[in-house]
Amino acid sequence: MKSSQPSHPFNQPAPLPLDPALAGRYPTNLIGHGQHGEDYRLEEIFAQVSQGVCIEVGAFDGVVGSATYAFELLGWTTILVEPQPDLAAAIARSRRGRLFAVAAGDHPGEVWIAPHPTDPAQTGVSARPPETDGGEDAAPVAVPMRTLDSILAECGVDRVDFATIDVEGFELAVLKGWDLDRWRPRVVILEDNTRGLDTTIPHYLRERGYVCFAHTGVNDWYAHSSDRALATTVACLRQRLRKALHPLLFKSARLLLPGGIKILIRRVASAR
C-alpha cells in the first residue's frame, strides 16, 4: 500500500532518500522511489535494456512508491493507470508517460470509486454506486474500466518488460484482462496484503507459467518459469516455503499465543 502522506508535494517530484538498510545492495545511479527498493532491483534485472516498456497499474500520484518513475527518467516508455481523478491529475503534472485515468479490470465498462476522506490509498471500488451516509465521505465517482490488453494495444507497444499492480485487492480482475501468453512480461510485481493467506493469484499465475521468485515488503515478484535467470530453483523454493510457512505461523499464533504477543508478531510482519 502506498502512503498517502508523501514527503514532497504531488506536483514537485523529488528524489527520495534510499533506505539505509538497502545501501550497498543496489545500484546507486537511479533516483529511487519504489516502496521497498523495487526500482533498484529492477535496474539490476534490466541493466542491459536501454529503451524498455513498463506499466504501473494503481499509479497513485506517479511519484510516491513508484517503481516506474526512475525508468521514465532513463528514457523508458512508461504507461500509468490510475482511476482517481485527483491522483490522475497529479500524474499528468509530474510524469511524461502515457496516462490512462481509468480502472483496469477483466472487461470494458464502468465502475464507481468512493474516495476515502483522508487516505487515497484506501479508496473503495464497486460495480454499483456505493451508499454514503452523507458524512465526510466524498461523493462516489463513476470512471471507465478497461482491460490491460486494450490499453497496451492503444499504446502501440509490442512488449512489456515489467509491470507493477497495486489495486488494493482487485489484482485478479486486472490479471484476467491481460493476456500474459501474448505479452509475456518478464517481471510482474503484485501487492499481496493477505501475506500468502489467499492463494488465488499464485494459482492463477502458475496455470499461466508464472512463479513467484522474490518478495519485497507486501509485494510478490513473478517471472515465467522458463526464465531460469530469475525463476531459479532455489529462488522459487524459497518463496514457496515462505508462502507455505507464513500462514501456518499466523494460524498457530492466533491459537496458541497471548494477545500481546500476537500483536507484536503482526507489527513485526507488517514492518518487513
Side-chain angles (χ1 to χ4, degrees):
M1 181 189 304
K2 299 180 175 68
S3 169
S4 61
Q5 298 180 345
S7 59
H8 52 78
F10 276 6
N11 61 346
Q12 295 181 13
L16 299 182
L18 178 62
D19 186 333
L22 300 178
R25 291 177 53 193
Y26 298 105
T28 57
N29 58 314
L30 277 178
I31 296 176
H33 289 77
Q35 291 175 278
H36 305 283
E38 284 85 359
D39 39 8
Y40 290 89
R41 182 159 188 179
L42 286 165
E43 190 195 30
E44 286 184 334
I45 294 172
F46 296 102
Q48 305 304 315
V49 180
S50 60
Q51 294 184 328
V53 179
C54 56
I55 183 167
E56 184 168 4
V57 185
F60 201 63
D61 72 343
V63 178
V64 174
S66 175
T68 66
Y69 179 63
F71 285 87
E72 185 173 289
L73 298 180
L74 293 176
W76 279 45
T77 296
T78 55
I79 302 165
L80 307 160
V81 181
E82 174 54 57
Q84 298 189 61
D86 55 340
L87 294 177
I91 293 172
R93 293 193 296 268
S94 62
R95 296 287 296 268
R96 298 190 302 269
R98 184 75 179 272
L99 169 63
F100 289 84
V102 303
D106 56 2
H107 65 276
E110 182 180 75
V111 294
W112 291 79
I113 60 175
H116 192 278
T118 59
D119 188 351
Q122 295 296 321
T123 291
V125 180
S126 62
R128 297 180 180 179
E131 295 182 0
T132 60
D133 58 10
E136 296 182 358
D137 292 347
V141 178
V143 298
M145 181 168 68
R146 296 182 59 177
T147 66
L148 288 191
D149 283 339
S150 72
I151 289 172
L152 292 169
E154 181 175 326
C155 290
V157 297
D158 59 3
R159 76 176 197 277
V160 174
D161 292 290
F162 75 83
T164 69
I165 303 175
D166 179 356
V167 289
E168 307 303 328
F170 290 89
E171 286 80 10
L172 183 60
V174 174
L175 289 172
K176 287 184 175 180
W178 192 17
D179 186 344
L180 292 173
D181 288 334
R182 173 188 175 188
W183 296 100
R184 190 62 77 87
R186 188 174 186 202
V187 175
V188 179
I189 303 174
L190 289 154
E191 183 181 65
D192 177 17
N193 283 318
T194 75
R195 295 185 176 273
L197 294 176
D198 187 345
T199 60
T200 305
I201 287 178
H203 287 165
Y204 179 87
L205 289 172
R206 192 175 302 119
E207 290 174 350
R208 286 150 184 81
Y210 279 79
V211 294
C212 183
F213 72 94
H215 177 78
T216 52
V218 293
N219 299 318
D220 289 336
W221 294 53
Y222 291 86
H224 198 271
S225 58
S226 62
D227 188 342
R228 302 313 298 173
L230 297 179
T232 65
T233 300
V234 172
C236 293
L237 178 59
R238 183 168 59 245
Q239 294 306 315
R240 288 178 67 181
L241 287 173
R242 178 186 63 81
K243 285 180 171 293
L245 294 177
H246 194 273
L248 291 176
L249 171 64
F250 276 85
K251 288 178 182 178
S252 299
R254 285 198 298 268
L255 292 173
L256 302 175
L257 297 178
I261 298 179
K262 295 178 188 178
I263 293 173
L264 177 61
I265 290 177
R266 285 197 295 269
R267 288 179 176 174
V268 170
S270 64
R272 287 174 56 190

